[in-house]
Amino acid sequence: MTTTQPVLSQRVQNLAESETLKMARMARELRALGHDVISLSLGEPDFDTPDHIKEAAYQALKDGYTKYTPVSGLPELTKAISEKFKRDNGLDYKPEQIVVSNGAKQTIYNLCQALLDPGDEVVVLAPYWVSYWEIVKLSGGVPVPVFAGVDQDFKPSPEQLAAAITERTKFVLFSSPCNPTGTVFDRDELEAYAQVLGQHDHVYVVSDEIYEYINFTHEHVSIGSFPQVKDRTITVNGFAKGFSMTGWRLGYMGAPKFIADACSKIQGQVTSGAASFSQKAGAIALMSDMGPTDAMREAFRERRDIVLSMLAEIPGIKANHPDGAFYVFPDISAYFGKTNGQVVIQNADDFCDYVMTEAYVGLVSGSAFGDPNCFRLSYAASEEQLREAIRRMQDVLGRLR
Ligand code: PMP
Ligand code: GLU
């Protein structure tokens, strides 16, 4: 018997490929064909993991940490995370309120699976990190964007946030420092959000603070520290960015206990605990000297300044002044309608395709992040590569009329 039933589920058919990972793959493919590609598309620190963290993993392997761990994490790691939340963020999450996962991406996936029923709404501050949108959809939720463009420094007003909340809203989701904009929300801005959310006690907050340590303002504020939302905030963080541990796959959250238990139940059926030796090394990372992280942050700050001053010399590129993460997210709508005689730039996707095919510089279109007027450039690359990439962009953009 034959049937016309599609092999792939509706769920996966409705899912977009991760645009950041797609651009990184395209860069690899072009490189394999012999092109000199500079990929500024992936949000991955170009520094090595600090030695003392690697040593901790070698030691863990030698000590036999090669087995399953408790699903929510090794006790020494959940304790270290609980102490870190208190020390750095003024947050009171007990070890049993912590769940360690295979990266913050899985943390967010667990949360969406645990909290969303079909049709539930998630207010997503936009521009947003590309995977928020798709993970919410994958979990049956409806993402509701609250948008602020470059002229608002990519910070939606508290009034905009208030207007987006309905009876179906389950939680608000955002990152600060923000991927893709580099925007850092300050104490007053977060307090104003907390005031709004204080009036809607059915709404939870998922605060993604994975770029916490890459903040050039010297003050990182966690929205969960405000009394209005203290008991309804889930704070997400991870090791990938601040400790340059992207490949170790280690993320975590602090959450109300019943939510932590629900996420742990999901994770227990899907992947179990994160890698044992990654967890041992993670505990050391949180408890030791932050010197290497401070040095990375300083390097990122210098590169941000270089990138901003070079971009400022290209007509039609309008950037804000990002205070954190390692991205700039300029508005390039001034190029829409321009042509080199062969292709016409209609939108940010065309802009990024043009820069990739003509200059061999990999960027990511803002449409993947909810702002089709912008592109994202990751300056997690050497100063030499950044200078060369922006020189090439200047050249090919100068050919557009
Ligand atoms: N949140 C944001 C804002 C990110 O940029 C990333 C980057 N990958 C993640 C979560 C996921 O991080 P991880 O590598 O720990 O899964
Ligand atoms: N978060 C990074 C980025 O935005 C890594 C890639 C990914 O996980 O999507 O580029």
Side-chain angles (χ1 to χ4, degrees), residues 108-383:
I108 294 161
Y109 180 75
N110 286 344
L111 278 167
C112 289
Q113 288 289 319
L115 297 178
L116 297 176
D117 278 321
D120 283 347
E121 295 173 4
V122 177
V123 170
V124 184
L125 301 198
Y128 45 78
W129 179 45
V130 59
S131 293
Y132 292 164
W133 198 264
E134 296 301 320
I135 295 176
V136 168
K137 271 178 31 197
L138 191 58
S139 308
V142 179
V144 176
V146 174
F147 177 76
V150 69
D151 294 331
Q152 268 178 274
D153 194 19
F154 301 110
K155 292 173 177 171
S157 67
E159 293 75 25
Q160 285 178 276
L161 174 61
I165 293 172
T166 71
E167 282 178 5
R168 291 304 304 263
T169 308
K170 265 288 171 68
F171 59 92
V172 176
L173 173 59
F174 69 103
S175 61
S176 176
C178 176
N179 179 2
T181 62
T183 290
V184 173
F185 292 83
D186 70 18
R187 183 170 292 282
D188 291 347
E189 287 153 352
L190 291 173
E191 186 164 18
Y193 286 166
Q195 298 274 19
V196 169
L197 296 166
Q199 287 158 28
H200 302 278
D201 47 5
H202 66 292
V203 179
Y204 282 72
V205 185
V206 176
S207 174
D208 180 349
E209 305 182 12
I210 196 165
Y211 293 93
E212 167 180 15
Y213 295 135
I214 309 170
N215 178 340
F216 317 127
T217 70
H218 301 296
E219 189 187 38
H220 173 79
V221 182
S222 293
I223 190 165
S225 63
F226 294 104
Q228 299 91 329
V229 289
K230 179 175 172 295
D231 298 328
R232 285 183 281 126
T233 300
I234 298 123
T235 307
V236 176
N237 210 321
F239 295 82
K241 316 293 173 174
F243 299 104
S244 201
M245 291 172 68
T246 44
W248 298 64
R249 309 311 303 130
L250 205 57
Y252 59 88
M253 68 167 188
K257 174 85 167 49
F258 74 100
I259 295 178
D261 290 345
C263 289
S264 185
K265 182 163 77 172
I266 289 168
Q267 186 167 299
Q269 289 289 19
V270 180
T271 58
S272 306
S276 49
F277 43 92
S278 289
Q279 293 190 51
K280 285 288 279 184
I284 296 294
L286 289 182
M287 291 185 299
S288 50
D289 170 42
M290 293 295 284
T293 296
D294 294 341
M296 285 190 245
R297 178 178 54 245
E298 192 45 30
F300 283 132
R301 197 188 54 73
E302 284 169 18
R303 292 174 190 177
R304 177 209 50 188
D305 292 344
I306 292 166
V307 166
L308 284 181
S309 68
M310 288 187 76
L311 289 177
E313 285 173 21
I314 306 182
I317 291 195
K318 187 157 99 184
N320 72 333
H321 191 81
D323 278 321
F326 34 69
Y327 307 109
V328 291
F329 196 66
D331 183 304
I332 36 85
S333 50
Y335 283 93
F336 298 170
K338 295 200 173 191
T339 176
N340 65 348
Q342 285 156 335
V343 287
V344 184
I345 309 293
Q346 311 271 25
N347 50 41
D349 291 6
D350 293 345
F351 181 95
C352 292
D353 283 351
Y354 176 72
V355 171
M356 180 62 121
T357 49
E358 295 295 315
Y360 294 113
V361 171
L363 307 168
V364 189
S365 167
S367 56
F369 305 98
D371 189 345
N373 288 332
C374 295
F375 69 82
R376 189 188 79 172
L377 179 156
S378 160
Y379 53 84
S382 70
E383 185 180 325

Side-chain angles (χ1 to χ4, degrees), residues 74-93:
L74 284 169
E76 66 193 86
L77 179 57
T78 52
K79 180 165 173 289
I81 291 169
S82 169
E83 284 165 8
K84 174 255 178 271
F85 273 137
K86 187 82 200 150
R87 179 191 71 205
D88 296 348
N89 312 111
L91 299 171
D92 291 309
Y93 294 111

